[in-house]
Amino acid sequence: MLAPDSPPTVTGGHEATTVERGSFCLARCSCGWSGPARRSRDRARTDAAAHLAAPHPGAG
């Protein structure tokens, strides 16, 4: 079961959040992207921030 960890962050139509799965945390985005499972919540948040900062096809 996934438990929401942080509130969503919206940038350019993308909504990223972190979710917990057991002892792991991962970043997910409304575009379908998900980051690797991490034991560190901070690393998962960093993954989400990097995804939101990256250029996306069709944006702009």
Side-chain angles (χ1 to χ4, degrees):
M1 181 97 189
L2 299 176
D5 179 48
S6 67
T9 302
V10 179
T11 302
H14 288 258
E15 184 176 319
T17 188
T18 56
V19 293
E20 292 186 20
R21 186 181 297 163
S23 60
F24 292 91
C25 187
L26 61 142
R28 287 225 168 136
C29 182
S30 59
C31 73
W33 172 87
S34 67
R38 308 277 194 185
R39 289 201 181 263
S40 166
R41 288 184 184 111
D42 188 52
R43 286 282 295 190
R45 285 190 290 270
T46 301
D47 292 339
H51 171 71
L52 292 176
H56 298 286

